[in-house]
Amino acid sequence: MEIIENLSTYSSRISRWNGDERLAGYPFVENVNAPFTPVRRALPMLNLALVSTAGACIDGTEPFDVSSRGEARFDEIPIEVEAADLRYAASGYDPTAVKQDRNAQVPVDRLAEYEANSVIGKLNSVWWSTSSFIPNAQTVAEELAPKLSERLARYEVNAALIIPASRLCHQTAGLIARRIEADGIPTIVISVDKLMSERVRPPRTAYYEGDFGTVVGPADWPEFQRRVLDETLRNMETFDQPGIRKLAVDIESKVEAARGER
C-alpha cells in the first residue's frame, strides 16, 4: 500500500510550491485507498501508543524547526515527564491551550486515568512527538513515518492514537497512521478537519467539529476530553474497514451550549 498515492505527481507539485508559511497554494496529499489492520485485542488488553504532532519537546532539548522547510524527526518522551517540563514549537495552531493544559492536545493524564481504571490495558511508557510543521509530505512518508513505526513495533504496542494540532498536522498524522497501519499496527486519528482527513485517508478517523490547538478538548475541561477519548477509542474497536466516523460529542456540546452550560 502506497503511503502517498501517485507520488511522482505529488513530488512535481511540491517542487513548484513557493514555500509560503501560510500554506498558500500548498499541494495537499490526496489519496483514494487506505491500509487497514483489524484490532485484535480488546481495549483493556491494549498497550496503547500516543503520537502527537503538536511539536512538544522536553525543556532544554532541541526544539523542532518550524521554519519554511520544517523538520521530519520525532522525539520519544517518557510518560513520567511533567507537563511543566514540556515546550511547544507551534505552527498553524495557537499553543495557549496546550501550555495551560497539555491534555488539550497531548492527553497523557487522561490516558493514565484510563489505564488506572482498566479502560485500556496500558499507556506505553513513552509517547512520540513530531513537528507541527512538516510541509514536505514525501519526507514524512519515506523518512519519518517508517522510523516511527519501527519504534512502535519495538515497544510492542497494540494500537496507536494519533492526534494532530493544525491543518498541516492532519496531513502528517494521516500519513503516519497509514504507515503504522500498513506495518500491522491498528491506528485511529482524532480529527477536527474532515476535508483533510478525506484527502489523506488515514485508516480510521474519529471526527468532530472542534478547533485546532484543542483537538482533544478545551483546556481544563477534563469531562469533555474524556468524552472525545472514550468515544474515539471505543470506535477504534468497531471499524471493519477504513473510514471516518463523527463523534457524538459534537451533538452533546451543541446541546450544552443551547442550555447555557459550558
Side-chain angles (χ1 to χ4, degrees), residues 1 41 46-47 77 80 90 104 121 135-136 163 169 173 220 256:
M1 173 67 69
R41 293 192 179 190
L46 288 180
N47 177 18
I77 301 179
E80 294 84 6
N136 191 331
I163 304 175
C169 283
D220 299 324
E256 288 175 336

Side-chain angles (χ1 to χ4, degrees), residues 124-144:
N124 192 64
S125 59
V126 302
W127 55 277
W128 287 269
S129 174
T130 77
S131 175
S132 60
F133 187 77
I134 313 177
N136 191 331
Q138 187 169 352
T139 63
V140 176
E142 296 181 346
E143 299 175 22
L144 173 63

Side-chain angles (χ1 to χ4, degrees), residues 62-125:
E62 183 179 357
F64 289 101
D65 179 5
V66 291
S67 66
S68 60
R69 299 184 66 179
E71 183 178 16
R73 79 162 210 263
F74 61 85
D75 286 359
E76 286 187 354
I77 301 179
I79 58 174
E80 294 84 6
V81 172
E82 298 289 341
D85 294 322
L86 295 175
R87 299 293 179 266
Y88 298 88
S91 177
Y93 78 97
D94 183 348
T96 301
V98 73
K99 289 179 179 179
Q100 178 179 333
D101 173 17
R102 67 174 170 182
N103 296 285
Q105 277 293 152
V106 187
V108 173
D109 304 297
R110 299 288 84 83
L111 294 173
E113 294 170 356
Y114 278 24
E115 178 181 343
N117 293 321
S118 299
V119 176
I120 60 173
K122 177 185 177 183
L123 174 60
N124 192 64
S125 59

Side-chain angles (χ1 to χ4, degrees), residues 87-239:
R87 299 293 179 266
Y88 298 88
S91 177
Y93 78 97
D94 183 348
T96 301
V98 73
K99 289 179 179 179
Q100 178 179 333
D101 173 17
R102 67 174 170 182
N103 296 285
Q105 277 293 152
V106 187
V108 173
D109 304 297
R110 299 288 84 83
L111 294 173
E113 294 170 356
Y114 278 24
E115 178 181 343
N117 293 321
S118 299
V119 176
I120 60 173
K122 177 185 177 183
L123 174 60
N124 192 64
S125 59
V126 302
W127 55 277
W128 287 269
S129 174
T130 77
S131 175
S132 60
F133 187 77
I134 313 177
N136 191 331
Q138 187 169 352
T139 63
V140 176
E142 296 181 346
E143 299 175 22
L144 173 63
K147 293 176 182 177
L148 181 53
S149 181
E150 181 181 340
R151 293 302 296 167
L152 266 64
R154 284 180 177 268
Y155 276 92
E156 298 183 340
V157 303
N158 307 119
L161 172 64
I162 305 172
I163 304 175
S166 69
R167 173 160 286 116
L168 187 60
C169 283
H170 278 68
Q171 175 172 275
T172 301
L175 295 174
I176 289 172
R178 288 171 65 86
R179 178 56 192 246
I180 293 172
E181 194 101 13
D183 288 344
I185 299 174
T187 65
I188 192 161
V189 176
I190 302 178
S191 171
V192 295
D193 191 330
K194 187 179 181 183
L195 177 59
M196 282 303 306
S197 297
E198 290 174 337
R199 281 174 167 167
V200 182
R201 294 197 177 273
R204 296 175 190 79
T205 300
Y207 162 76
Y208 78 102
E209 294 179 6
D211 298 309
F212 299 137
T214 57
V215 170
V216 182
D220 299 324
W221 194 355
E223 297 84 2
F224 188 98
Q225 296 163 2
R226 292 186 192 109
R227 287 185 213 163
V228 171
L229 291 169
D230 186 68
E231 195 175 353
T232 296
L233 292 174
R234 295 190 188 284
N235 263 308
M236 181 172 64
E237 291 186 296
T238 61
F239 276 86

